């Protein structure tokens, strides 16, 4: 992987980690916290790879000077990842968030959820473009874990598969809907009824 691609991956991963870490603390979710810690290890590895690639690429003092800026960006992304891990560690260690933190987070108009797509779900084997999740539920898929790999910033051509783990951001109502849709316990035909029940 090139330095450019590694930096893009680090940026995407560190942004996702911040969303997951705040969600983990707010909802006391050890699952989300564990995801953050897994991602932090990957960010550390990528930063190490960037350092190695930079050493190989630098053939002169001028090259080294230019690559220093990239190394600083990688270090900053790793610092963001480390801060997210610190938040996640609070959840793993069993610390409860102060009530003020919960009040602050609840003022946010966004909710973050993690769902697994059941094979019976209407989400399975459909593209995000066909599903129109943002329009129909107010939820946007920000990342997909498929096996041991991740898809960041999926687009309308991305197909959701059974057993995919989706990380979504949106409204509380949308979060409830997505959990039911992913589990196959409701369908898109039920969405108006679900919204009326909220």
């Amino acid at each position: 992987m090139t330095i450019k691609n590694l930096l893009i991956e680090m940026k995407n991963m560190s942004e996702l980690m911040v969303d997951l870490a705040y969600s983990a603390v707010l909802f006391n979710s050890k699952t989300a916290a564990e995801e953050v810690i897994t991602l932090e290890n990957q960010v550390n590895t990528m930063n190490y790879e960037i350092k190695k690639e930079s050493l190989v690429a630098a053939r002169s003092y001028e090259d080294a000077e230019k690559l220093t800026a990239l190394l600083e960006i990688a270090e900053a992304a790793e610092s963001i990842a480390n801060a997210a891990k610190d938040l996640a560690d609070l959840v793993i260690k069993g610390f409860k968030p102060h009530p003020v933190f919960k009040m602050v987070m609840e003022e946010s108009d966004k909710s973050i959820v993690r769902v697994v797509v059941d094979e019976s779900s209407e989400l399975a084997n459909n593209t995000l473009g066909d599903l129109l999740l943002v329009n129909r539920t107010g939820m946007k898929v920000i990342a997909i874990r498929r096996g041991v790999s991740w898809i960041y910033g999926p687009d309308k051509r991305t197909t959701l598969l059974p057993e995919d783990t989706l990380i979504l951001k949106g409204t509380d109502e949308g979060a409830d809907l997505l959990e039911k849709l992913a589990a196959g316990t409701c369908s898109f035909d039920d969405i108006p009824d679900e919204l009326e029940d909220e």
Side-chain angles (χ1 to χ4, degrees):
M1 195 180 287
T2 66
I3 292 175
K4 175 186 171 185
N5 289 339
L6 283 165
L7 282 171
I8 291 169
E9 188 79 357
M10 283 184 77
K11 172 196 168 289
N12 291 339
M13 208 173 275
S14 60
E15 285 178 357
L16 173 63
M17 286 175 66
V18 171
D19 284 339
L20 283 176
Y22 277 123
S23 177
V25 175
L26 178 61
F27 300 111
N28 194 32
S29 169
K30 289 196 174 181
T31 305
E34 285 161 1
E35 297 279 7
V36 171
I37 289 165
T38 299
L39 291 172
E40 194 262 347
N41 289 330
Q42 293 177 34
V43 168
N44 290 345
T45 300
M46 285 188 281
N47 193 24
Y48 178 70
E49 288 300 318
I50 286 174
K51 288 175 182 173
K52 284 199 308 185
E53 292 294 328
S54 297
L55 287 171
V56 171
R59 306 201 185 283
S60 67
Y61 181 82
E62 289 75 22
D63 286 346
E65 203 167 53
K66 290 174 186 173
L67 288 166
T68 299
L70 296 180
L71 291 172
E72 291 293 330
I73 293 169
E75 283 296 318
E78 184 172 352
S79 294
I80 292 168
N82 290 340
K85 180 185 176 287
D86 289 343
L87 281 173
D89 280 338
L90 294 174
V91 178
I92 299 294
K93 291 173 182 173
F95 288 101
K96 302 292 184 205
H98 190 280
V100 170
F101 175 80
K102 187 165 183 168
M103 287 167 55
V104 168
M105 289 301 293
E106 285 176 348
E107 287 297 314
S108 170
D109 60 351
K110 297 296 178 188
S111 179
I112 300 168
V113 293
R114 173 185 181 270
V115 299
V116 178
V117 178
D118 189 85
E119 62 182 17
S120 67
S121 169
E122 287 186 358
L123 303 179
N125 303 308
N126 281 299
T127 67
L128 290 175
D130 290 337
L131 292 169
L132 297 172
L133 290 180
V134 175
N135 294 344
R136 295 162 101 176
T137 68
M139 299 297 289
K140 178 181 180 183
V141 180
I142 57 176
I144 301 168
R145 188 178 71 183
R146 183 167 291 161
V148 295
S149 62
W150 284 83
I151 301 167
Y152 299 101
D155 60 26
K156 63 183 180 181
R157 296 181 299 278
T158 305
T159 300
L160 303 182
L161 301 179
E163 304 305 318
D164 277 354
T165 298
L166 312 181
I167 308 295
L168 305 103
K169 182 190 277 190
T171 64
D172 289 340
E173 294 86 353
D176 291 340
L177 278 173
L178 250 301
E179 287 175 356
K180 293 172 183 173
L181 283 167
T185 58
C186 84
S187 69
F188 284 111
D189 292 338
D190 300 323
I191 287 179
D193 295 332
E194 293 285 347
L195 290 174
E196 286 172 8
D197 291 338
E198 291 300 329

